[in-house]
Amino acid sequence: MTMDQKWTKRYEAFAEHQAARGIDLQSVKKSILAHHIETPSWGYADSGTRFGTFSQAGAARTAQQKLADAAMVHRLTGVCPSVALHIPWDKVDDYAALSQYAASLGVTLGAINPNLFQETEYKMGSLCNPSEKVRAKALEHCYECVEIMQKTHSKNLSLWLADGTDYPGQDNIRERKHRLEECLGAIYDRIPNGSRMLVEYKMFEPSFYTTDIPDWGVSYSLCKKLGEKAEVLIDLGHHAQGTNIEFIVAYLLDEGKLGGFHFNNRKYADDDLTVGCINPYEVFLIYRELVDGWTDPRLNPDVAFMLDQSHIMKPKIEAMLQSVIFLQETYAKALLVHAGRLKEAQLAGDTIAAEEELKAGYDADVKPLLAMIRIENGIDPEPIAAFRKSGYMEKIIKERSK
Ligand code: AFD
Ligand code: MN
Ligand code: MN
């Protein structure tokens, strides 16, 4: 029996069961194929912890190599057409040429991420720094990134500030808020129509006493004041232990301020592990809120689904494939929850039936569904095995060791 025959057989049993549950698998397949996940250029390069960087043979070093690896992930999954850039890590002289190179590989350039955390001047902050000169430097960098957005036809400026303080009394909390609002307003005024500024929050790190954008409430308040081109970016690793992230997702989606996600997973802090490796059910519940929210035509479906991970202990491209496959499978599970039955149970206050309906989706083995979608779209049903057979890793190790 060939691999395709194996998966087709398993899919037939899956489809029969889901049809009996009243699930429209054609619409599920359409949603899965339309669900694009942006991969981060920095996820293909060497990275590390604050205690050291660990290199891997074949790791991408140039923007072009990162795009080549990202294009391989897109070829093997069919749902990763764009690649987020980090400036200056991915700075080039000619962004039009980089866009053309990306297009030649079958991908496009995605969100532009300014770097406001590595220059020595940013020690006391960037946009919140007490020194007007440092704030001006940070603003200039953000303006440069907005210009790059226009050359790469990127729709999202993905803004994360490391700004904060380490000691009580180090700076005035409200004055930092005022500096931040003024600077974000200046950047916002340059965001082209049809593009967005995604304001990412993070509870702590690298600052340990205060962080100037520490939680979703601050990001939401800033975005509300800035205007409709500013939306909140949720990074899963940026919350206190036990935070109910799916609640935040539902609230921001309903408020029209959910801009996007940086997917990863963590055990304790912002560990940037591969999404779903620690808490897969949380990601399922996040997707459930999205699926439910998108049944409301008032709500904006344009959410940026991005990975933000650091692959130290895993080979980078395989870790990226694992993450994309996990998100596809989790979205499929969320789509297998029967909305009508769930609603009925909720209105009847039948907690058991409501939870059982959620679990009917979560517990479904969706691998045959994903495999069939890939087979029907000319993609190998097993992307990681296909990558291992492709010889791509051996090729780039040889090419990049020169
Ligand atoms: C770090 C930050 C944040 C940011 C990312 C890319 O914690 O998540 O989005 O770097 O700049 O992970
Ligand atoms: Mn992030
Ligand atoms: Mn992070």
Side-chain angles (χ1 to χ4, degrees), residues 336-350:
L336 294 182
V337 173
H338 191 286
R341 269 198 296 278
L342 177 62
K343 187 82 191 160
E344 227 174 273
Q346 288 171 340
L347 294 176
D350 186 341

Side-chain angles (χ1 to χ4, degrees), residues 71-304:
M72 188 61 181
V73 170
H74 180 46
R75 258 197 305 283
L76 289 167
T77 59
V79 293
C80 302
S82 64
V83 189
L85 297 185
H86 218 293
I87 307 298
W89 299 337
D90 298 319
K91 197 177 172 84
V92 292
D93 295 337
D94 183 343
Y95 287 99
L98 190 68
S99 291
Q100 276 146 21
Y101 178 68
S104 73
L105 298 171
V107 291
T108 60
L109 303 179
I112 300 296
N113 290 261
N115 185 324
L116 295 171
F117 49 86
Q118 268 182 314
E119 306 269 338
T120 39
E121 294 94 321
Y122 295 147
K123 181 175 152 191
M124 307 294 266
S126 59
L127 300 180
C128 305
N129 195 297
S131 148
E132 184 162 1
K133 196 160 153 273
V134 174
R135 295 200 302 274
K137 173 186 167 84
L139 276 173
E140 272 316 308
H141 174 58
C142 291
Y143 298 156
E144 178 201 4
C145 288
V146 172
E147 275 159 35
I148 292 169
M149 274 173 82
Q150 297 174 68
K151 292 175 189 159
T152 58
H153 309 295
S154 300
K155 290 289 167 235
N156 295 316
L157 180 75
S158 177
L159 204 51
W160 171 68
L161 304 187
D163 287 43
T165 62
D166 278 358
Y167 293 97
Q170 176 184 330
D171 198 350
N172 181 298
I173 294 173
R174 287 185 306 108
E175 283 171 19
R176 291 181 73 91
K177 174 177 178 286
H178 302 154
R179 296 170 204 150
L180 176 61
E181 287 175 348
E182 189 188 332
C183 289
L184 287 181
I187 300 164
Y188 181 86
D189 290 345
R190 295 181 184 225
I191 299 286
N193 289 332
S195 296
R196 283 184 300 192
M197 173 199 266
L198 302 179
V199 180
E200 184 174 6
Y201 60 88
K202 180 172 181 179
M203 181 184 141
F204 84 104
E205 190 200 45
S207 306
F208 296 113
Y209 175 61
T210 62
T211 296
D212 292 296
I213 310 179
D215 58 37
W216 73 275
V218 169
S219 176
Y220 173 71
S221 146
L222 290 166
C223 291
K224 283 291 272 185
K225 286 179 185 171
L226 286 166
E228 59 178 17
K229 291 182 288 187
E231 295 178 350
V232 180
L233 175 59
I234 297 179
D235 183 305
L236 297 198
H238 288 190
H239 303 83
Q241 291 282 4
T243 301
N244 186 325
I245 301 177
E246 57 271 27
F247 175 87
I248 299 169
V249 170
Y251 197 95
L252 290 174
L253 184 64
D254 204 57
E255 285 292 308
K257 281 295 180 189
L258 177 62
F261 293 91
H262 271 176
F263 283 114
N264 47 56
N265 240 198
R266 58 85 184 275
K267 184 68 183 167
Y268 295 103
D270 185 27
D271 311 332
D272 280 351
L273 303 176
T274 46
V275 61
C277 70
I278 303 289
N279 188 345
Y281 195 53
E282 172 182 68
V283 186
F284 166 77
L285 294 172
I286 287 171
Y287 270 103
R288 262 302 311 152
E289 291 308 326
L290 294 169
V291 169
D292 177 67
W294 286 337
T295 56
D296 181 339
R298 289 176 311 125
L299 303 187
N300 177 8
D302 182 14
V303 172

